[in-house]
Amino acid sequence: MLRVPVMGVLILFNYVSQTTIWPELAILGVTPDTALIFIVSYGMLRGEIEGALFGLAAGFLMDIFGGEYLGVYALMGFLAGYVSGKPFRDFFKDNYFLPFFIVLGMALVYQFALYVALFMFRGHLDFWFYVYSIILPKTVYTAALAIPLYLLVHIINKRVETFENNRRSLFEDKEND
Amino acid sequence: MVDFLHKRKRTFLLSGMCLCVLAMILSVFPGIRLSVAEQGLAMVVVPLQRGANTTILWLQGRFAAMADNASLIAENAALREENIKLTLKVEQLHLAGEENYYLTNILEMRQRFPELPTVGARVIAQNQNNWRSRFSIGSGTREGIEANMPVLAGDAVKGIIRSAWNNHAEVITIFDGEFSVAVHSIRAETAGIVRGDIQLSREGLLRMDLIAATSNIMPGDTLVTSAYSPLFPPGLPVGTVLSVHPNPDGLTQYALVEPAAGTNRPHMVLVVTG
């Protein structure tokens, strides 16, 4: 059960850094979407169910503290976690380029979905302005951070898996005795 | 648990989506909020944000002091020892000085509006995405802050409280697409609505709408909050008219406005609580 508090700490760490540290490191006025990187990385490493749960929790936190409507970020996080976990469950986990491309694609879709959900339906139809000033820079910045943050999640996941395996084998040994 | 969900993937997917959609529908109704969850999470998140913010300010001060130190050494090697001592002192005093500067600002702001009941608050976090212009302050209902209270920076309107919790509050800035305030031009005796606009915010500007076509409003006119504004006290500076343009309908004009509170991210703000 170590995984649940670790997930919680990771989500909190991400939210706090996204609202304090990353705004100071904004490039062209945009900040990276580190939540998406964590969701995609977790989904790729742990499969669609855990990825979706991670995305749901991270999304709800963002919704609670500043979302337009409760559930918008949660839904997108849930789907992002599910989709990134679905086809990539069995990929070679030390391949760092796949997460880069998945995050790149997912960030593009995610930002576009945010534009549609929060702006397009409210009559903000200057699509190319939003593409050039927010969607593209944010996608590129997010993708640039995909590999180091994936590495971080990968290391944490490895440690947790080792801990859980040791614990499991300890209990199995006791049962065999 | 996860194995159980793995066997029912389709149900899991549908349930998750339904949960989110239900939350969206419920959050449309005012008054329905996850107060307990919000307050509980805020008790953990806000101190972390405060800590991270203090660390960032400390780091910024340290880097600035280091840069000063390097240039002084290059300029005058003879003063190196003294310079290092001074730099150390500067480092120690930097945070205290910065805090003092902002508190003095707050005091000056209060003196400018002595009749307004106000609360000074520190900005602790920025908005999580670039689609909105918002920030969080480290004071909340505990200090008497509530939703829809005006927020000032310097001596001008900076935004409005969107929602307030026990120990923090979220501020919609004047640049946010959801912000609007009724204003009045003192010279031209013209009323209008100043709104935030994400496109104009990139140039540090606001938009004033609903100006009568017959109005003689012109660049340089000062805009203050109108007595018709239900949320803002009248007379607070909002901005200066930069240019005036006719609307295609021929009945109204619109103006581009330079905000009086500036475009920089404030470190301290004043919330009008009365």
Side-chain angles (χ1 to χ4, degrees):
Chain A
M1 284 309 282
L2 180 70
R3 188 162 295 283
V4 177
V6 168
M7 268 170 73
V9 170
L10 207 58
I11 289 168
L12 266 181
F13 165 76
N14 169 66
Y15 182 75
V16 171
S17 66
Q18 215 172 338
T19 52
T20 55
I21 299 166
W22 290 112
E24 300 294 332
L25 304 170
I27 297 175
L28 295 173
V30 296
T31 53
D33 198 343
T34 51
L36 183 71
I37 305 175
F38 282 118
I39 293 168
V40 170
S41 304
Y42 204 82
M44 290 177 81
L45 290 167
R46 296 292 305 171
E48 67 268 39
I49 300 293
E50 287 185 48
L53 288 173
F54 188 91
L56 188 75
F60 261 125
L61 186 67
M62 292 199 280
D63 280 324
I64 284 172
F65 283 110
E68 302 287 311
Y69 302 105
L70 202 64
V72 174
Y73 287 110
L75 179 64
M76 286 200 280
F78 179 79
L79 291 176
Y82 192 88
V83 171
S84 51
K86 185 83 179 160
F88 305 109
R89 182 77 174 90
D90 300 317
F91 82 112
F92 179 52
K93 291 181 173 46
D94 286 324
N95 173 4
Y96 300 127
F97 287 100
L98 189 58
F100 170 81
F101 289 111
I102 304 297
V103 167
L104 186 74
M106 204 68 94
L108 206 58
V109 174
Y110 192 78
Q111 291 304 319
F112 182 72
L114 271 178
Y115 164 70
V116 172
L118 303 177
F119 281 80
M120 201 178 84
F121 287 144
R122 293 184 183 181
H124 297 268
L125 299 173
D126 194 356
F127 176 69
W128 293 111
F129 164 78
Y130 294 101
V131 169
Y132 290 128
S133 62
I134 298 179
I135 296 175
L136 276 183
K138 209 170 169 78
T139 302
V140 172
Y141 199 178
T142 305
L145 288 170
I147 295 177
L149 290 184
Y150 172 78
L151 198 65
L152 175 74
V153 179
H154 187 26
I155 291 167
I156 293 170
N157 183 53
K158 246 185 197 169
R159 292 264 164 103
V160 174
E161 274 178 358
T162 311
F163 177 83
E164 284 176 345
N165 287 341
N166 288 345
R167 209 175 153 80
R168 199 171 298 137
S169 60
L170 190 75
F171 281 113
E172 277 168 6
D173 288 347
K174 274 188 181 174
E175 275 173 20
N176 291 337
D177 290 342
Chain B
M1 173 73 175
V2 175
D3 293 337
F4 172 80
L5 292 172
H6 264 292
K7 285 175 194 157
R8 293 163 181 80
K9 277 181 193 166
R10 202 169 286 176
T11 318
F12 168 73
L13 188 62
L14 278 174
S15 313
M17 288 167 73
C18 287
L19 177 73
C20 295
V21 172
L22 188 71
M24 275 183 238
I25 294 167
L26 285 177
S27 63
V28 170
F29 298 103
I32 297 178
R33 299 183 68 99
L34 294 174
S35 301
V36 179
E38 281 171 6
Q39 299 287 11
L41 281 169
M43 281 169 72
V44 180
V45 172
V46 172
L48 287 173
Q49 285 178 323
R50 234 180 236 148
N53 196 271
T54 309
T55 312
I56 289 164
L57 284 176
W58 180 79
L59 281 172
Q60 282 174 342
R62 201 169 168 82
F63 280 122
M66 280 163 70
D68 286 350
N69 191 17
S71 64
L72 284 170
I73 287 167
E75 277 174 29
N76 195 339
L79 291 172
R80 185 176 292 175
E81 268 185 46
E82 195 182 340
N83 191 21
I84 290 167
K85 282 178 195 167
L86 286 172
T87 309
L88 281 171
K89 268 190 183 174
V90 167
E91 278 182 36
Q92 285 168 353
L93 293 171
H94 188 83
L95 269 180
E98 204 161 344
E99 194 75 21
N100 186 32
Y101 171 75
Y102 295 124
L103 289 174
T104 311
N105 267 359
I106 289 287
L107 195 64
E108 281 172 8
M109 282 155 70
R110 280 192 179 183
Q111 282 165 352
R112 276 185 210 129
F113 305 106
E115 71 282 5
L116 291 177
T118 52
V119 171
R122 187 171 154 189
V123 176
I124 57 162
Q126 295 296 299
N127 189 24
Q128 65 213 354
N129 67 39
N130 298 101
W131 297 97
R132 294 288 181 212
S133 177
R134 292 170 186 181
F135 57 79
S136 297
I137 53 174
S139 304
T141 49
R142 215 166 38 189
E143 286 80 14
I145 293 172
E146 287 168 19
N148 295 327
M149 283 181 169
V151 176
L152 310 178
D155 57 355
V157 173
K158 187 68 186 175
I160 194 160
I161 301 287
R162 179 175 181 254
S163 45
W165 291 269
N166 189 32
N167 55 358
H168 77 290
E170 192 188 13
V171 178
I172 296 180
T173 79
I174 201 163
F175 292 112
D176 193 283
E178 283 192 1
F179 181 90
S180 65
V181 59
V183 293
H184 177 80
S185 162
I186 301 164
R187 189 202 59 80
E189 293 187 342
T190 296
I193 303 278
V194 163
R195 299 175 201 279
D197 182 290
I198 192 169
Q199 281 175 274
L200 290 174
S201 73
R202 300 266 152 174
E203 300 158 43
L205 297 175
L206 307 166
R207 184 186 166 103
M208 180 179 174
D209 283 321
L210 302 177
I211 308 169
T214 52
S215 163
N216 67 342
I217 194 165
M218 57 174 69
D221 279 354
T222 304
L223 302 173
V224 296
T225 49
S226 158
Y228 296 113
S229 171
L231 302 174
F232 287 83
L236 295 175
V238 175
T240 310
V241 175
L242 205 67
S243 58
V244 184
H245 310 270
N247 273 324
D249 59 15
L251 300 171
T252 55
Q253 309 177 73
Y254 75 93
L256 298 182
V257 176
E258 210 169 31
T263 54
N264 290 342
R265 170 196 161 184
H267 289 275
M268 296 289 282
V269 291
L270 206 61
V271 183
V272 182
T273 52

